[in-house]
């Protein structure tokens, strides 16, 4: 015991991380479920309501954000820009419709419960955004990325990611915090530059990166750092303009897709992506307050059911309208039914501006986290009912 106590707690924590993930993942694999559930459960076990081994939640959350950046970079590398632009109507109209209908529904509920206008709008925004991390991982696991459903769902997810910026601006205005003119102009300039890059790639179709050479393909050590630069360089580019780092990584991935010299990047960064994406979902589990969920189990359960039924229905109708048959549309609706990780940012921003209070913030965080846990089961049930398995 004295020997164990003298060990570095970081080493002990990493070992426990690995053991728990391996054990839970083996069980989930036998149940044909995604590892995402296991990562969240590990966070719950190690959090303050479990073994209380993780004190620094912020560091874990930061590592998780790196995982999201890597994930979107990989997705960008798998997207053909020409095919994606062909679906712009679905992406734009579908996203606007989803956000508008969600806000309208919450405004009606808020009117009945006498909520403030700002609170109702924020909650509408929160439930409208789906999880890129969960859905993209599931699309990859189920080999649906290149199918019609996968492409349509992916286009909506990416449009939602882009919509995060104006949603944050609206929340800032509702909370009485006005963004400076300089900040807004900087964001607009960043958006214009991104559009210009995408237009250039669309016209050229294939681009050549002159600083790449055959030597890089034979130097694995240099490949690692070059790949990290390409991923996080794109993230840094958008952060400079006040935009989402994940959006910049995604644009960087699209650039790499158009540059045929960089096929080796996928193998180089794949292990990093698995590790850091797992940290993101572990951080979700760490945020779950089990005592709060237990005390408010009935109201949280009703909210989860309403969110799933509403999001599933709205997204299914949107996808059916844009060329999918009903079986495909229902599967796509199930994939988009949960609340996404970007809603954590919307909630924390609203909390910092006093639009929602402690109870509302804890309720929202619990709701988001539990929909992420339930999502794979909901999708599995939909697959069985529609015969799309």
């Amino acid at each position: 015991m004295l020997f164990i106590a003298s060990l570095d707690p970081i080493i002990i924590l990493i070992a426990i991380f690995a053991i728990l993930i391996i054990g839970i993942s083996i069980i989930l694999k036998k149940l044909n479920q995604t590892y995402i559930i296991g990562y969240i459960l590990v966070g719950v076990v190690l959090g303050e309501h479990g073994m209380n081994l993780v004190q620094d939640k912020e560091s874990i959350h930061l590592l998780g954000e790196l995982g999201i950046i890597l994930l979107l970079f990989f997705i960008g590398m798998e997207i053909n820009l020409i095919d994606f632009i062909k679906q712009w109507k679905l992406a734009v109209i579908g996203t606007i419709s989803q956000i508008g209908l969600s806000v309208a529904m919450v405004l009606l509920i808020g009117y009945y419960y006498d909520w403030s206008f700002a609170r109702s709008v924020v909650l509408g925004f929160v439930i409208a955004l789906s999880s890129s991390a969960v859905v993209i991982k599931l699309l990859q696991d189920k080999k649906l990325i290149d199918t019609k459903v996968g492409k349509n769902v992916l286009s909506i997810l990416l449009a939602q990611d882009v919509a995060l910026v104006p949603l944050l601006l609206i929340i800032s205005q509702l909370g009485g915090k006005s963004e400076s003119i300089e900040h807004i102009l900087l964001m607009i300039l960043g958006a214009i530059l991104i559009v210009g890059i995408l237009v250039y790639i669309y016209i050229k179709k294939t681009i050549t990166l002159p600083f790449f050479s055959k030597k890089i393909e034979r130097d694995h050590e240099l490949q690692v750092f070059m790949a990290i630069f390409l991923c996080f360089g794109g993230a840094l580019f958008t952060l400079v303009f006040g935009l989402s780092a994940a959006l910049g990584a995604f644009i960087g991935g699209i650039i790499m897709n158009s540059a045929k010299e960089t096929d080796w990047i996928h193998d180089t960064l794949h292990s990093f992506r698995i590790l850091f994406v797992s940290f993101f979902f572990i951080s979700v589990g760490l945020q779950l307050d089990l005592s709060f969920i237990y005390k408010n189990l009935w109201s949280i359960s009703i909210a989860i059911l309403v969110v799933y039924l509403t999001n599933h229905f709205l997204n299914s109708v949107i996808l059916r309208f844009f060329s999918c048959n009903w079986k495909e549309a229902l599967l796509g609706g199930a994939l988009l039914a949960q609340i996404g990780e970007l809603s954590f940012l919307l909630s924390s921003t609203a909390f910092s501006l006093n639009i929602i209070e402690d109870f509302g913030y804890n309720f929202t965080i619990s709701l988001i986290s539990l929909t992420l846990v339930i999502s794979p089961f909901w999708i599995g049930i939909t697959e069985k009912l529609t015969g799309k398995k």
Side-chain angles (χ1 to χ4, degrees), residues 168-183:
L168 286 173
L169 288 174
I170 292 171
I171 291 175
S172 297
Q173 295 296 323
L174 292 173
K177 179 185 176 183
S178 299
E179 296 288 347
S180 66
I181 297 297
E182 292 81 2
H183 188 207

Side-chain angles (χ1 to χ4, degrees), residues 43-57:
V44 173
V45 171
L46 296 179
E48 61 179 307
H49 300 286
M51 299 170 67
N52 198 25
L53 291 177
V54 177
Q55 305 296 329
D56 189 1
K57 296 181 183 178

Side-chain angles (χ1 to χ4, degrees), residues 352-364:
S352 67
L353 296 172
N354 295 318
I355 295 175
I356 56 176
E357 299 177 350
D358 288 336
F359 178 85
Y361 179 69
N362 287 329
F363 189 92
T364 305

Side-chain angles (χ1 to χ4, degrees), residues 144 149 152-153 308-321 323-338 375 378-388:
L144 293 173
V149 175
N152 287 343
V153 166
Y308 265 101
L309 291 176
T310 303
N311 283 352
H312 196 161
F313 173 75
L314 291 178
N315 284 298
S316 295
V317 172
I318 290 168
L319 289 168
R320 177 66 184 91
F321 184 77
S323 78
C324 285
N325 60 46
W326 271 116
K327 283 189 176 182
E328 293 170 334
L330 287 171
L331 176 58
L335 286 163
L336 294 167
Q338 78 293 118
S375 183
W378 187 273
I379 294 166
I381 293 171
T382 304
E383 284 179 326
K384 290 181 179 179
L385 293 176
T386 59
K388 293 296 290 183

